[in-house]
Amino acid sequence: MATTSKDKRISLPVEGMTCASCVAHVESALKEVRGVSSVRVNLATEKAALELDSGEVSLEELVRAVDEAGYTVPVERGSLNIGGMTCASCVAHVEEALRGVRGVLSVNVNLATEKAMVEYILGVASFQDFREAVDEAGYTVEGLAGETYGQKEELERLARVKEIRALRNKVAVSAVLGAIIFLGSFDGFPWVSNLMERTYYPFLLWALATPVQFWAGWVFYTSGLGALRHRAANMHTLIALGTSVAYLYSVAIVFILAFSPETLSVRGIEGAVYFDTSAIIIALILLGRFLEARAKVQTSEAIRRLMGLRPATARVVRDGQEIDLPVENVMPGDIIVVRPGERIPVDGEVVRGYSTVDESMLTGESMPVEKAEGQQVYGATINRTGTFQFRATRVGKDTLLSQIIKLVEEAQGSRAPIQRLADVVSAYFVPSVLGLSAAAFLFWLFLGPEPSFTYALLVTVAVLIIACPCALGLATPTAIMVGTGKGAEKGVLIRSAEALEIAHKANVVVLDKTGTLTLGQPSVTDIIAVSGGEEQLLKLAASAERGSEHPLGEAIVRAAQERGIALEDVADFEAIPGQGVQARVNGNTVVLGNIALMETRGLHLDGLDAAAVELSKQGKTPMFVASDGRALGVIAVADTLKAEAAEVVSWLRDLGMEVIMLTGDTQRTAEAVARQVGVDRVIAQVLPQDKTEVIKSLQRQGRVVAMVGDGINDAPALTQADVGIAMGTGTDVAMESADITLMRGDLKGVLTAFHLSRSTIRTIKQNLFWAFFYNTALIPVAAGVLYPLFNGLGGVPSGLHFFFGDLGFLNPVLAALAMAFSSVTVVSNSLRLRRLKLSLS
């Protein structure tokens, strides 16, 4: 938003100032922004009072200037529930209205979720400002989504209970009255022919049509004509104008028939009324809206399901007693008891007991996870077997489930780049249709067949009704909603619609080795003993490593413990940096380390060096064990590959992607792993801080890069990549750094993300094609382009009379039917994504 010349003064909040020099820095930074004439910064109120020149000043520039000076302008994000939107042009009008509020930095309105995501400067713009702006544009704000909007109310809103009930009632009334009016227009029925002779009969039809026009169809006036007051137009404008033309024309005919029937002999006017046309058009459009609303409920099913998982109460231990409390009253630090079959109310850490927990609602993994003392549990997951107690660590909006819901909501409310085309078209579409309908009216009025006025009127109504761009507005957001919701069900959290779109363009996948292709935990793979058994060698090595914190030493100790080997006490432990360790075990000096350590100590390896070279070629790290000057054997340790790694890499290559492995390991170790998984390229010996440069290098080659990492060590590279995919359990760092977060460490989630992206974008393209095709093909038909064709053929075939009458003009009722069901078709096509199979099989 740009602050215009009318906004000569503005007060900007500034945080981070501590002294007079801070004030000077902020003032200096703001004065450098073009268009700012004077600045006065108050340290006590933490506000900057600016006076502006007549030129436009961008708020974004002011915020950026403060930020670059080392301070911050507090920016808030809010989500508004918007009522009354029906098409893409409605979205544009609401966005324009909200951008006009001083203090708003960005606005993103989503037709499918009926939400507006607003980024604004705290203290400059307020919720009341948003409400007034939206109301003035002809729409309504039905509440703030999120914390100030209760779960029950939000679930009801998502389920559209009130909207569907109201639409159902209006459809029923308008359909019954419309049917009566329609049947009452045919004199073939005995009761109709008798009534038609009565002078009051046209008034009876008028009385039946009026509640349909102004009760059932009132929403079209409040929104459509409200938009016209602000020199804009939307779908409701077209419907209101189209039906009003037919209704008011019929009213005029009623009065002419009653008071001056002789004037009907004027050229181009016949005595028929079209109350049935306006009433049935409204009934059909409302029916389409009703079916669309019911279908749209299914697009938000994933969010409703997640929100519905939140338990209402928690069993908390207070003063030694177990009491049931509303979950919103649970505080961090509370001890909570969970019994078998119950949902865990909040996030926490097990302090007593053991159980297995079904975490499928978070990760998509059906296998229960064992939980013992010290392990994390998450709210809304299901306790399966045992009773345990845990200490609450994160409650309310801080729980993992709440973070997931927020992430999915933001993704569903975001806008994909592919939607820009629809937005641009919609901005010009409705005004163009209004101009086209006026041109069509004048054309057929002066050049059309008799009665020309009647045909011109029907063509105008048909064009106005059939051109409503509701399908165009729903094409992208409904598919995004279903796609991101489907991903959440499978443990794939997609941060934005843009990430979903870019993912389908990725042609290079960069896989971090440790923790991504491998388990991320070294383990013993080989034991080669020169003398004595393997267990004796492992016992000696593990005893020596008991005091070590090195991951390779921990792997050896863990291997001994897993085999139930009792370890010996050690003395004189010494870690030798870069080489290994030395300690006394049962009075003997034991040395454990690499070949450099062995050579330093002058130890003879008895051929073990050849075995070590072979192990190294396999990507393993050999560690020699020696005691009292004699080599006893070699123990190899490696970070083992995940079971699905090779299969996933193969599938990625089948998708046409180049697969690159990135690692800090030596070239030889990296190539050994690469041979096992089948990647195309290996980039080895890369320090964590250099991974970003590798991504940049690929991007400079014009490649679209997807980076897959653990979301913590790889955060900079994930951020740099076109699409960052974080493996793991959805830590805060992963969610912030990555565009897509996999809630579990299974590599198959990467395939799920790409499959979902490609399927969603394919669905969007299908929706946009049919939405564009529908309007492009049918508007000319409604405008009467078939009249010359049928006229040349000698008239309309009898089987097509209902559709095109006697001369080839489209029946306005059919225009309403086509328009109403076009949006239902788009939503239904998007809903097919719910049945998408996301697996390797």
Side-chain angles (χ1 to χ4, degrees):
M1 173 224 170
T3 303
T4 65
S5 57
K6 293 184 289 185
D7 302 318
K8 290 292 186 66
R9 295 180 181 179
I10 185 171
S11 179
L12 202 67
V14 179
E15 292 181 347
M17 299 185 296
T18 56
C19 61
S21 61
C22 297
V23 171
H25 293 157
V26 174
E27 287 184 346
S28 175
L30 288 172
K31 282 177 182 175
E32 291 179 5
V33 177
R34 188 170 59 181
V36 176
S37 58
S38 69
V39 183
R40 295 187 309 278
V41 177
N42 188 310
L43 180 61
T45 61
E46 293 187 309
K47 287 188 176 181
L50 294 86
E51 292 199 7
L52 311 176
D53 294 334
S54 57
E56 291 190 348
V57 178
S58 165
L59 275 176
E60 287 89 341
E61 286 184 47
L62 298 175
V63 172
R64 193 181 306 117
V66 172
D67 186 57
E68 290 175 355
Y71 306 91
T72 57
V73 174
V75 174
E76 189 72 26
R77 293 190 72 189
S79 180
L80 309 173
N81 296 326
I82 307 294
M85 297 191 301
T86 55
C87 63
S89 58
C90 297
V91 170
H93 299 154
V94 174
E95 285 186 346
E96 183 180 357
L98 288 170
R99 285 196 186 101
V101 176
R102 189 169 73 170
V104 170
L105 297 173
S106 67
V107 181
N108 184 14
V109 177
N110 188 291
L111 178 61
T113 61
E114 296 180 317
K115 285 186 178 182
M117 303 294 292
V118 185
E119 188 176 42
Y120 60 98
I121 297 174
L122 206 58
V124 177
S126 67
F127 175 69
Q128 186 58 34
D129 296 331
F130 303 149
R131 183 186 291 277
E132 290 174 1
V134 172
D135 286 347
E136 193 176 337
Y139 305 90
T140 60
V141 176
E142 298 176 348
L144 262 174
E147 295 173 42
T148 59
Y149 208 58
Q151 178 180 335
K152 180 180 177 183
E153 290 82 359
E154 180 68 359
L155 279 169
E156 189 172 280
R157 189 191 73 83
L158 287 169
R160 292 178 164 87
V161 175
K162 294 179 181 178
E163 177 189 355
I164 290 174
R165 187 183 300 122
L167 279 170
R168 183 190 61 203
N169 294 339
K170 288 184 176 182
V171 167
V173 172
S174 57
V176 170
L177 293 178
I180 293 173
I181 298 170
F182 179 72
L183 294 175
S185 302
F186 293 97
D187 56 6
F189 294 98
W191 60 274
V192 172
S193 54
N194 291 334
L195 284 173
M196 278 186 172
E197 298 173 1
R198 312 287 181 177
T199 55
Y200 62 78
Y201 184 66
F203 289 91
L204 178 62
L205 295 179
W206 180 16
L208 292 173
T210 299
V212 178
Q213 188 74 32
F214 297 109
W215 174 70
W218 185 245
V219 63
F220 305 132
Y221 289 99
T222 55
S223 174
L225 301 184
L228 282 179
R229 287 201 305 270
H230 298 277
R231 291 175 295 179
N234 57 26
M235 167 189 158
H236 282 173
T237 307
L238 299 180
I239 298 170
L241 289 176
T243 57
S244 295
V245 166
Y247 176 83
L248 294 175
Y249 170 81
S250 301
V251 171
I253 293 297
V254 168
F255 279 104
I256 292 172
L257 286 172
F259 302 109
S260 183
E262 64 277 4
T263 59
L264 291 178
S265 59
V266 177
R267 178 183 180 274
I269 300 178
E270 66 172 2
V273 294
Y274 292 93
F275 289 122
D276 57 333
T277 299
S278 63
I280 292 174
I281 284 174
I282 289 174
L284 286 172
I285 292 172
L286 289 176
L287 175 62
R289 288 275 306 278
F290 172 71
L291 296 175
E292 176 191 322
R294 288 183 58 182
K296 282 164 70 177
V297 167
Q298 297 176 61
T299 67
S300 61
E301 182 182 8
I303 279 287
R304 288 187 295 117
R305 186 179 298 163
L306 287 171
M307 293 187 70
L309 293 174
R310 291 167 167 165
T313 62
R315 188 173 293 107
V316 181
V317 179
R318 294 270 175 91
D319 299 324
Q321 300 292 320
E322 294 182 12
I323 57 173
D324 288 335
L325 293 177
V327 72
E328 56 266 24
N329 292 346
V330 175
M331 304 292 290
D334 279 342
I335 301 298
I336 299 170
V337 180
V338 184
R339 295 193 173 93
E342 294 180 342
R343 285 196 183 273
I344 298 169
V346 296
D347 295 1
E349 180 181 321
V350 177
V351 295
R352 183 181 302 167
Y354 169 86
S355 184
T356 56
V357 174
D358 179 357
E359 295 184 346
S360 59
M361 48 74 58
L362 292 178
T363 65
E365 175 58 65
S366 57
M367 289 294 292
V369 181
E370 295 184 357
K371 298 293 180 181
E373 192 173 325
Q375 292 187 300
Q376 292 292 314
V377 291
Y378 302 100
T381 56
I382 302 173
N383 181 31
R384 285 298 186 198
T385 53
T387 298
F388 64 90
Q389 295 183 4
F390 73 95
R391 180 182 293 105
T393 55
R394 294 192 294 185
V395 301
K397 63 182 178 64
D398 296 323
T399 64
L400 183 58
L401 176 64
S402 295
Q403 291 179 45
I404 290 172
I405 290 173
K406 181 181 178 184
L407 196 67
V408 175
E409 283 182 331
E410 288 180 354
Q412 292 184 340
S414 62
R415 182 170 300 174
I418 197 173
Q419 192 174 340
R420 290 173 189 151
L421 175 62
D423 292 343
V424 171
V425 171
S426 298
Y428 299 99
F429 191 77
V430 175
S432 300
V433 169
L434 291 173
L436 178 63
S437 64
F441 176 80
L442 293 174
F443 178 86
W444 293 111
L445 177 65
F446 293 109
L447 300 176
E450 295 295 340
S452 60
F453 184 84
T454 300
Y455 284 121
L457 187 81
L458 293 177
V459 165
T460 301
V461 173
V463 170
L464 288 172
I465 297 302
I466 206 164
C468 295
C470 37
L472 200 59
L474 291 167
T476 300
T478 51
I480 293 295
M481 283 185 70
V482 180
T484 51
K486 181 72 174 180
E489 290 176 4
K490 297 296 182 180
V492 178
L493 301 182
I494 299 162
R495 191 175 185 82
S496 66
E498 185 175 6
L500 194 66
E501 180 174 343
I502 294 174
H504 100 284
K505 300 177 182 177
N507 49 32
V508 177
V509 182
V510 178
L511 299 170
D512 179 57
K513 182 179 80 72
T514 305
T516 302
L517 286 171
T518 66
L519 295 172
Q521 185 180 52
S523 58
V524 173
T525 58
D526 299 86
I527 302 174
I528 302 173
V530 174
S531 62
E534 291 184 3
E535 288 203 0
Q536 183 60 32
L537 183 67
L538 182 59
K539 178 177 182 178
L540 197 63
S543 298
E545 287 281 12
R546 286 183 73 177
S548 172
E549 295 181 355
H550 194 281
L552 299 181
E554 290 177 348
I556 291 174
V557 173
R558 188 167 53 251
Q561 291 172 340
E562 289 172 355
R563 299 189 185 197
I565 298 173
L567 304 184
E568 304 286 350
D569 293 330
V570 299
D572 303 328
F573 175 84
E574 178 188 359
I576 305 167
Q579 295 186 335
V581 300
Q582 176 179 300
R584 292 189 65 81
V585 180
N586 290 333
N588 298 319
T589 300
V590 177
V591 179
L592 176 66
N594 57 24
I595 194 168
L597 180 58
M598 300 298 112
E599 291 173 349
T600 301
R601 299 300 169 92
L603 296 172
H604 182 61
L605 299 178
D606 292 331
L608 289 173
D609 50 347
V613 170
E614 189 60 35
L615 291 169
S616 295
K617 288 180 180 178
Q618 299 171 23
K620 301 170 183 177
T621 303
M623 300 177 69
F624 297 92
V625 184
S627 177
D628 293 332
R630 186 168 63 93
L632 302 178
V634 175
I635 296 178
V637 178
D639 183 5
T640 53
L641 286 170
K642 292 178 178 176
E644 73 279 4
E647 187 179 16
V648 169
V649 168
S650 175
W651 275 74
L652 289 172
R653 295 180 67 186
D654 288 345
L655 289 174
M657 298 181 178
E658 180 185 4
V659 184
I660 299 174
M661 187 181 79
L662 201 60
T663 178
D665 284 343
T666 64
Q667 189 70 31
R668 185 166 64 180
T669 302
E671 287 177 354
V673 174
R675 283 193 296 272
Q676 295 178 61
V677 296
V679 297
D680 297 296
R681 284 172 59 192
V682 175
I683 304 177
Q685 295 175 295
V686 180
L687 298 174
Q689 60 267 30
D690 296 332
K691 291 181 179 179
T692 303
E693 188 53 42
V694 172
I695 303 298
K696 288 181 179 178
S697 175
L698 291 166
Q699 291 170 328
R700 283 194 290 268
Q701 298 170 26
R703 315 299 293 276
V704 180
V705 183
M707 167 73 187
V708 185
D710 61 17
I712 300 174
N713 299 328
D714 303 313
L718 289 170
T719 303
Q720 176 62 41
D722 297 289
V723 180
I725 303 177
M727 305 286 295
T729 55
T731 62
D732 292 338
V733 177
M735 287 187 178
E736 289 301 320
S737 305
D739 301 297
I740 299 173
T741 300
L742 308 181
M743 296 300 294
R744 54 183 179 180
D746 190 340
L747 259 177
K748 292 179 182 178
V750 177
L751 281 177
T752 298
F754 285 123
H755 189 188
L756 186 63
S757 169
R758 295 185 176 204
S759 299
T760 304
I761 298 304
R762 184 166 58 248
T763 300
I764 289 173
K765 289 179 178 178
Q766 291 169 354
N767 288 347
L768 288 173
F769 170 80
W770 287 112
F772 279 119
F773 176 82
Y774 159 81
N775 281 308
T776 304
L778 294 186
I779 289 177
V781 173
V785 73
L786 294 181
Y787 170 74
L789 176 64
F790 285 125
N791 193 43
L793 295 174
V796 178
S798 58
L800 298 177
H801 273 199
F802 176 73
F803 301 98
F804 300 107
D806 296 327
L807 299 177
F809 293 108
L810 183 67
N811 188 333
V813 171
L814 293 178
L817 187 66
M819 190 282 295
F821 282 91
S822 64
S823 55
V824 178
T825 302
V826 164
V827 176
S828 300
N829 189 46
S830 297
L831 287 173
R832 291 190 306 114
L833 288 168
R834 295 169 60 208
R835 300 191 296 272
L836 189 66
K837 295 190 181 300
L838 300 172
S839 65
L840 283 171
S841 56

